[in-house]
Amino acid sequence: MLYKLLPIVEKEIINNKYFILTFSNYDMAGQCYPGQFFRLKNPQQNFPILPRPFSIHNVYENKVSFLIKKVGTATIQFSAMKVGQKIALLGPLGNGFTLHQNKKILIVSGGIGYAPFPFLVGKLNQMKNEIFFFHGGKTAEDIFSNDVIDFTEDGSIGEEGLVTDGIEQFLQKNQVDVVYACGPQMMLKKVTEICKQFNIDLQVSLETIMACGIGVCCGCTIRIIENGKMVYKKVCKDGTVFDGYKVVWNE
Ligand SMILES: Cc1cc2nc3c(=O)[nH]c(=O)nc-3n(C[C@H](O)[C@H](O)[C@H](O)COP(=O)(O)OP(=O)(O)OC[C@H]3O[C@@H](n4cnc5c(N)ncnc54)[C@H](O)[C@@H]3O)c2cc1C
Ligand code: FES
């Protein structure tokens, strides 16, 4: 784990809601693994006090990028920052996805749950997997790339409907070995139910609200079934990636 104060080297504004910040550091890029996250803070601002967690979006040429959705104080501050301004980064944190090779893989994301997947896809491609990628959002603004099969709830781009409807239909016709998913809890719960029907290995990356981000405060606990018993796990330290079948999903 590293703590670095680094200048933004690239800033890409995707639309009104989303932007990408990129940092360049040899050590940092070398330590990153798909599915891990960093905690970011603007050192010029006293509030919010706590750094915020963001998934590693991509890693290339010693650069590490983060796809960020503007939702509140910290993310609005980041969106106003310019290339050259410095951000404090702590990470990489969390366990990341278990990688496979020579498999048929389905990736499912919803909204900002898309963030960790470009880095994962790069690694899975090197390992000769066949990848199918389904992404869903509320509107066209929540869609990021043309490389995936997109769904929007309002039908403004891609197919109209929920991404979970799309994967259910897809799995009825196609055999898949492993599913990786990230997105809102309700989406992940539904993905788990669908994967169970087809008996497919499932890894889910969870995004709870985090305070310390390093396993100290217990603010990010979730319930997991382990050896037939229910136990509490910390998303920041034991996850963020879990076996979807072991997670006790909130009703
Ligand atoms: C492991 C992890 C990885 C993440 N990766 C990304 C990422 O790659 N890109 C990205 O844009 N966001 C990501 N998030 C969510 C991001 O951390 C929050 O959006 C951010 O903390 C909001 O900070 P803020 O100060 O702008 O908003 P706040 O003012 O703190 O919050 C604004 C609103 O967002 C809600 N909120 C805050 N955090 C979360 C959360 N984790 N889940 C759901 N609602 C939340 C708050 O309840 C509030 O309603 C991730 C979260 C986790 C835990
Ligand atoms: S956020 Fe403190 S233990 Fe996970």
Side-chain angles (χ1 to χ4, degrees):
M1 193 206 322
L2 299 165
Y3 175 78
K4 300 263 177 202
L5 191 60
L6 296 175
I8 299 165
V9 293
E10 285 165 30
K11 179 178 174 187
E12 182 189 344
I13 295 167
I14 296 179
N15 56 39
N16 214 15
K17 276 194 207 168
Y18 298 96
F19 58 99
I20 297 177
L21 296 183
T22 304
F23 303 87
S24 180
N25 184 270
Y26 177 82
D27 293 338
M28 198 170 95
Q31 289 195 18
C32 290
Y33 180 83
Q36 290 185 299
F37 68 97
F38 276 72
R39 304 190 74 215
L40 270 59
K41 176 165 168 54
N42 178 354
Q44 307 296 328
Q45 301 281 350
N46 294 328
F47 187 80
I49 298 165
L50 294 171
R52 301 299 201 223
F54 297 95
S55 303
I56 300 165
H57 180 54
N58 218 341
V59 177
Y60 53 96
E61 298 162 0
N62 299 325
K63 292 178 185 163
V64 182
S65 68
F66 299 91
L67 170 67
I68 300 178
K69 180 178 180 180
K70 274 193 254 178
V71 294
T73 319
T75 48
I76 291 168
Q77 283 171 10
F78 292 145
S79 74
M81 291 179 77
K82 297 189 171 61
V83 169
Q85 286 190 288
K86 287 185 177 165
I87 288 188
L89 297 105
L90 179 75
L93 299 163
N95 60 357
F97 295 105
T98 302
L99 301 178
H100 289 274
Q101 56 182 358
N102 295 315
K103 300 277 188 206
K104 286 197 173 181
I105 292 193
L106 173 64
I107 292 178
V108 192
S109 60
I112 191 61
Y114 178 87
F117 288 127
F119 186 28
L120 177 72
V121 167
K123 291 278 181 211
L124 292 174
N125 276 335
Q126 287 167 14
M127 297 170 81
K128 299 189 168 45
N129 293 288
E130 189 179 355
I131 301 172
F132 307 93
F133 195 153
F134 282 62
H135 173 70
K138 279 197 166 35
T139 73
E141 275 197 320
D142 303 300
I143 302 301
F144 305 102
S145 136
N146 296 324
D147 304 332
V148 298
I149 299 167
D150 293 312
F151 289 79
T152 48
E153 288 176 30
D154 67 355
S156 50
I157 196 169
E159 286 191 43
E160 184 172 349
L162 297 174
V163 68
T164 43
D165 300 334
I167 62 159
E168 192 160 15
Q169 285 171 22
F170 178 79
L171 289 171
Q172 277 155 2
K173 295 189 194 128
N174 298 275
Q175 186 251 323
V176 160
D177 303 304
V178 184
V179 172
Y180 298 90
C182 184
Q185 281 236 1
M186 285 312 291
M187 182 202 103
L188 295 179
K189 184 172 181 247
K190 183 73 185 163
V191 171
T192 306
E193 287 162 11
I194 295 168
C195 287
K196 214 175 223 166
Q197 283 176 45
F198 296 94
N199 197 22
I200 308 169
D201 280 359
L202 168 65
Q203 297 181 41
V204 294
S205 177
L206 301 183
E207 293 190 355
T208 53
I209 292 191
M210 289 184 182
C212 76
I214 51 167
V216 178
C217 73
C218 296
C220 63
T221 46
I222 55 148
R223 292 170 299 163
I224 291 280
I225 302 292
E226 213 171 56
N227 303 321
K229 283 192 182 153
M230 197 178 73
V231 293
Y232 287 89
K233 294 277 177 184
K234 295 166 184 170
V235 171
C236 67
K237 201 150 190 279
D238 304 315
T240 60
V241 179
F242 294 91
D243 174 342
Y245 297 133
K246 293 188 176 168
V247 176
V248 180
W249 298 106
N250 294 325
E251 291 308 317

